[in-house]
Amino acid sequence: MGHLASLSNLSLSNNNITRAIPAGIGEYWTNLRNLDLSDNHLTGAIPQGIGNCTKLVHLDLSNNHLDGTIPPGVGNCTHLEDLVLSNNHLTGQVSSKISAFSNLTILDLSYNNPHGVITEDYFVSLESLKHIDLPHNSLSGPLPSKYQARELLALIFSSNYFTGHIPESICELEILIVLDLSNNFMEGQLPQCSRMPNMNNNFSGEFPSSLRTYPSLVFLDLSWNNFYGALPLWIGDLVFLRVLRLSHNVFYGDIPMTITNLNLLCHLNLAGNHISGAIPQSLSNLTAMTQKCSSKPGLDMFAWYTGREGNHGT
C-alpha cells in the first residue's frame, strides 16, 4: 500500500468487501480526497487514523456493518464536504468536532444508534450545509435552536427521542424543502411559518393555516397528533399533494368537497377522527388513487420528495 502514497481517489463501493477498514489507512494514503467504501460488508470500528487523511473532501462509508463511535480524529478532516456514515451500527455521542467542517454540505448519520443531545454549537460554523440527515437514531433533548446554513434544503430528525417545541428559528430556513420531525416526542403548536410535511408527535391546535402559504407541498403527514377542528376548504389549493395523512387526530365535520381538486393525490388517510356526513361522490374523480403510489419516502425523504430517488444530490 505504501506504493500508493499519492492516491487521491479510492472508490470500492458496491462490492462484497469484508473485514475491517485497515488501521493504517491514515499512514498509507494521506493524500486521499475522495474515499467511498459504501455498500460493502465492512465490520469493526472506523479507524482513528482516518483523521490523518486531512485532505479528505468526500467520505462515504454508508451501508456497511461498522460499529463503535465516530473517532474524534475525523475532526482533523476540515476540508470535508460530504460525511456519509448512514446504515451502520455506530453508537456513542456525536462528537462536537463536526463543527470544524466549515465546508460541509451533507451530514448523513441516519440509521445508526448514536445518542445524546445535538445543540446549536454543532452547526454554528457549518454555513454551507444543505442536508442534515439524522433519522432513526437515539438522539434526545430539544432541537438545535440555531442553524447558520441559509441554503439548507433538507433537515431530517425523524424517529429519535427529541422533545420540546419546534424553535422559531426554523422559519429562517427560507429555501428548506424537506423538514421531517416525525416519530419524536415533540409538542405544542407549530411556528407560524410551518412548512412541515411529516411530523407525528404530540402537536395540537387547529389545522395549521400557515400551510396555505406552501402550495407546492407534495407530502403532508399530520397523523397521530392532537389537531382538531374542521378541515379547511383551502386544502383543495394544495394541488401538488401526492400523500395526505390526517389520521388519528380530533378533526370533525364534513370532508370538504374541494379535496377533489387534488388530482395528483394517490394516498388519503382520514381514519381515527370524528369526520361525519356523507362521503362526497366526487372523490371518485381522484383517479390517481387507483394507481400505484409510493406513500413512504423511505431512506431518503429528500430524494423521494423531489423525485430523485437514488440520487442524493445537492
Side-chain angles (χ1 to χ4, degrees):
M1 292 185 180
H3 298 295
L4 301 174
S6 61
L7 187 69
S8 61
N9 296 284
L10 178 62
S11 178
L12 299 173
S13 61
N14 291 285
N15 282 291
N16 291 305
I17 301 172
T18 59
R19 299 189 179 181
I21 300 173
I25 188 171
E27 300 174 15
Y28 308 135
W29 301 324
T30 55
N31 290 307
L32 269 179
R33 290 177 54 82
N34 303 297
L35 177 60
D36 186 352
L37 303 179
S38 62
D39 296 283
N40 280 287
H41 301 285
L42 295 168
T43 58
I46 300 172
Q48 175 69 26
I50 205 166
N52 294 329
C53 302
T54 56
K55 297 180 182 179
L56 270 178
V57 175
H58 305 286
L59 176 61
D60 189 347
L61 306 178
S62 61
N63 299 306
N64 281 288
H65 305 288
L66 299 171
D67 56 30
T69 61
I70 301 171
V74 172
N76 297 331
C77 305
T78 55
H79 297 288
L80 272 177
E81 295 179 6
D82 302 338
L83 178 59
V84 183
L85 305 178
S86 56
N87 287 284
N88 282 288
H89 307 293
L90 301 174
T91 57
Q93 291 192 321
V94 179
S95 173
S96 60
K97 288 184 178 293
I98 65 171
S99 62
F101 305 147
S102 58
N103 298 315
L104 199 67
T105 60
I106 296 177
L107 174 63
D108 188 352
L109 308 180
S110 58
Y111 289 85
N112 281 285
N113 198 32
H115 63 269
V117 177
I118 301 291
T119 69
E120 57 268 25
D121 293 337
Y122 284 72
F123 303 117
V124 68
S125 61
L126 305 185
E127 298 182 357
S128 300
L129 268 177
K130 295 186 177 180
H131 299 259
I132 302 176
D133 294 343
L134 300 178
H136 292 269
N137 287 298
S138 297
L139 302 171
S140 59
L143 290 180
S145 60
K146 280 290 184 181
Y147 305 89
Q148 295 299 323
R150 292 297 179 261
E151 296 185 0
L152 197 64
L153 298 174
L155 181 58
I156 305 176
F157 285 154
S158 58
S159 298
N160 280 282
Y161 299 96
F162 289 112
T163 56
H165 295 70
I166 298 174
E168 291 288 339
S169 58
I170 291 290
C171 299
E172 300 171 8
L173 304 176
E174 296 180 353
I175 65 172
L176 193 69
I177 294 177
V178 176
L179 176 59
D180 187 353
L181 306 177
S182 61
N183 299 312
N184 282 287
F185 297 94
M186 306 188 70
E187 60 186 4
Q189 297 195 9
L190 306 180
Q192 286 303 304
C193 66
S194 173
R195 61 190 75 191
M196 300 162 196
N198 196 0
M199 46 187 179
N200 318 127
N201 284 277
N202 193 31
F203 296 119
S204 59
E206 295 186 338
F207 194 96
S209 60
S210 55
L211 293 175
R212 190 174 188 176
T213 61
Y214 302 102
S216 60
L217 276 178
V218 174
F219 184 99
L220 177 59
D221 186 350
L222 303 182
S223 58
W224 295 97
N225 283 288
N226 290 309
F227 291 110
Y228 57 83
L231 298 180
L233 291 175
W234 55 260
I235 199 170
D237 297 337
L238 305 177
V239 294
F240 291 101
L241 274 178
R242 291 165 56 189
V243 173
L244 178 59
R245 293 175 176 164
L246 304 177
S247 64
H248 301 282
N249 283 283
V250 200
F251 292 121
Y252 55 78
D254 296 340
I255 299 174
M257 294 290 293
T258 53
I259 209 167
T260 60
N261 296 340
L262 308 179
N263 295 325
L264 300 178
L265 196 68
C266 59
H267 181 94
L268 173 64
N269 191 346
L270 303 176
N273 283 285
H274 301 293
I275 302 294
S276 58
I279 298 175
Q281 291 187 358
S282 54
L283 279 181
S284 61
N285 296 333
L286 299 178
T287 56
M289 296 182 68
T290 65
Q291 303 169 7
K292 184 177 180 181
C293 176
S294 175
S295 61
K296 294 182 180 180
L299 299 184
D300 190 341
M301 189 173 182
F302 179 80
W304 180 93
Y305 189 98
T306 57
R308 291 190 283 178
E309 290 89 345
N311 180 19
H312 194 174
T314 59

